[in-house]
C-alpha cells in the first residue's frame, strides 16, 4: 500500500535507475511481490534490479557481483532456477577474479546461494561442497559480524523436505545433529533448528 501511494503514485517517474536507492527499491519490490505470490511482478522487479546494477557498476565490480547474487536469491524464491544459476555463476566468477576477495563475506554468500541451487536440482554432493566452501570463506572474512544470513545444513534440508526428497532430508538432518553434538555438546542451542526440521520431517513423512 505504501509503495502504491508514494512510489508508484509520486516517485516512480522521478527516480532514475542510476539513483542511489533505485537498486535497493527494486530488490525490495521483488521480495515484496514474491511474499504476496505476485511472481510476474516479482520477476519484473528483479530484472529491473539487474538492469540498474548493470548501469550503476562495471561488470567486474564487487558491488555488481553482490547485486547479481541478491537477484539470484530472488529468482530462486520465484522458481526461476536456470536464470538464478546464470546470475550466481557470474557473481562467483567476478568475485573469484578479485584479488584478496576471499576475505569478503559476500563471496561466502555467493557460495551459499550455489549450495541452495545445487540442492534445488538434487545435486547433494555439489550442495555439500558449496556449503563447505561457503563456511571456509566465511571463516576467512575480516568482518567480525556477518552482514548476510548464512545457509545452514538444516536450511538445505528444509528445501529438500519441501521438494518431497525425504531420504535426502533425513540424511542431512542426521548429519547436522551429529556434527553439532560432536562439536558443541548435547545441550548446544545449535541443535534446536535441526531438531525442529526433524520434527517437521517426521510429521510429513509419517
Amino acid at each position: 500500500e505504501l509503495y502504491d501511494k508514494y512510489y508508484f503514485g509520486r516517485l516512480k517517474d522521478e527516480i532514475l535507475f542510476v539513483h542511489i536507492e533505485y537498486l535497493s527499491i527494486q530488490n525490495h519490490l521483488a521480495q515484496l511481490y514474491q511474499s504476496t505470490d505476485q511472481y510476474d511482478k516479482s520477476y519484473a522487479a528483479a530484472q529491473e534490479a539487474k538492469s540498474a546494477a548493470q548501469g550503476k557498476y562495471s561488470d567486474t565490480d564487487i558491488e555488481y557481483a553482490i547485486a547479481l547474487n541478491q537477484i539470484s536469491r530472488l529468482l530462486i524464491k520465484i522458481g526461476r532456477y536456470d536464470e538464478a544459476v546464470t546470475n550466481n555463476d557470474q557473481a562467483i566468477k567476478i568475485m573469484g577474479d578479485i584479488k584478496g576477495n576471499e576475505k569478503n563475506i559476500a563471496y561466502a554468500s555467493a557460495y551459499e546461494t550455489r549450495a541452495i541451487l545445487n540442492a534445488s536440482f538434487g545435486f547433494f554432493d555439489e550442495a555439500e561442497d558449496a556449503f563447505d566452501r561457503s563456511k571456509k570463506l566465511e571463516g576467512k572474512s575480516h568482518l567480525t559480524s556477518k552482514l548476510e544470513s548464512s545457509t545452514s545444513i538444516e536450511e538445505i534440508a528444509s528445501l529438500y523436505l519441501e521438494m518431497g526428497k525425504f531420504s535426502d532430508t533425513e540424511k542431512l538432518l542426521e548429519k547436522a545433529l551429529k556434527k553439532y553434538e560432536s562439536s558443541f555438546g548435547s545441550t548446544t542451542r545449535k541443535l534446536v533448528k535441526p531438531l525442529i526440521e526433524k520434527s517437521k520431517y517426521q510429521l510429513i513423512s509419517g
Side-chain angles (χ1 to χ4, degrees), residues 15-23 48 51-56:
I15 298 180
L16 300 176
F17 76 95
V18 293
H19 189 279
I20 190 171
E21 295 297 333
Y22 188 80
L23 179 58
E48 278 289 310
S51 296
Q54 287 174 323
K56 190 173 182 181

Side-chain angles (χ1 to χ4, degrees), residues 111-127:
Y111 270 98
E112 288 175 354
T113 305
R114 173 64 58 84
I116 295 172
L117 283 165
N118 284 333
S120 70
F121 287 115
F123 300 147
F124 176 83
D125 291 337
E126 290 83 353

Side-chain angles (χ1 to χ4, degrees), residues 6-194:
Y6 293 105
Y7 178 65
F8 292 109
R10 301 180 185 179
L11 300 175
K12 184 176 184 296
D13 294 335
E14 298 177 20
I15 298 180
L16 300 176
F17 76 95
V18 293
H19 189 279
I20 190 171
E21 295 297 333
Y22 188 80
L23 179 58
S24 62
I25 287 173
Q26 294 304 321
N27 275 324
H28 187 75
L29 278 173
Q31 294 176 51
L32 176 65
Y33 287 137
Q34 183 271 329
S35 68
T36 55
D37 298 329
Q38 300 181 71
Y39 298 117
D40 288 342
K41 288 184 177 181
S42 180
Y43 177 68
Q47 290 300 98
E48 278 289 310
K50 183 174 182 178
S51 296
Q54 287 174 323
K56 190 173 182 181
Y57 307 111
S58 75
D59 59 7
T60 59
D61 194 299
I62 183 65
E63 294 298 332
Y64 179 53
I66 290 172
L68 287 173
N69 188 53
Q70 290 173 335
I71 293 164
S72 183
R73 291 282 182 108
L74 292 171
L75 290 169
I76 291 170
K77 291 179 180 179
I78 61 177
R80 300 264 186 170
Y81 296 108
D82 289 339
E83 291 176 68
V85 168
T86 299
N87 284 278
N88 180 246
D89 283 347
Q90 191 175 357
I92 286 177
K93 184 180 186 309
I94 293 170
M95 292 181 187
D97 288 342
I98 298 174
K99 187 176 180 180
N101 196 50
E102 67 275 2
K103 294 183 179 181
N104 192 319
I105 190 64
Y107 201 12
S109 178
Y111 270 98
E112 288 175 354
T113 305
R114 173 64 58 84
I116 295 172
L117 283 165
N118 284 333
S120 70
F121 287 115
F123 300 147
F124 176 83
D125 291 337
E126 290 83 353
E128 283 290 284
D129 288 344
F131 175 78
D132 290 342
R133 174 69 169 153
S134 170
K135 290 304 169 189
K136 287 178 182 178
L137 287 167
E138 188 176 277
K140 292 180 180 180
S141 172
H142 63 279
L143 299 179
T144 55
S145 61
K146 306 310 180 191
L147 300 181
E148 300 184 54
S149 60
S150 296
T151 303
S152 61
I153 293 175
E154 56 268 22
E155 286 177 294
I156 297 176
S158 180
L159 177 59
Y160 272 129
L161 186 60
E162 292 176 8
M163 297 170 64
K165 296 182 178 293
F166 299 131
S167 177
D168 290 332
T169 301
E170 186 175 23
K171 288 177 183 177
L172 273 177
L173 290 175
E174 288 300 326
K175 180 175 181 177
L177 288 167
K178 288 179 181 178
K179 178 180 178 180
Y180 293 150
E181 187 168 355
S182 174
S183 299
F184 305 104
S186 60
T187 59
T188 177
R189 295 180 64 182
K190 288 182 177 291
L191 293 172
V192 173
K193 283 187 178 181

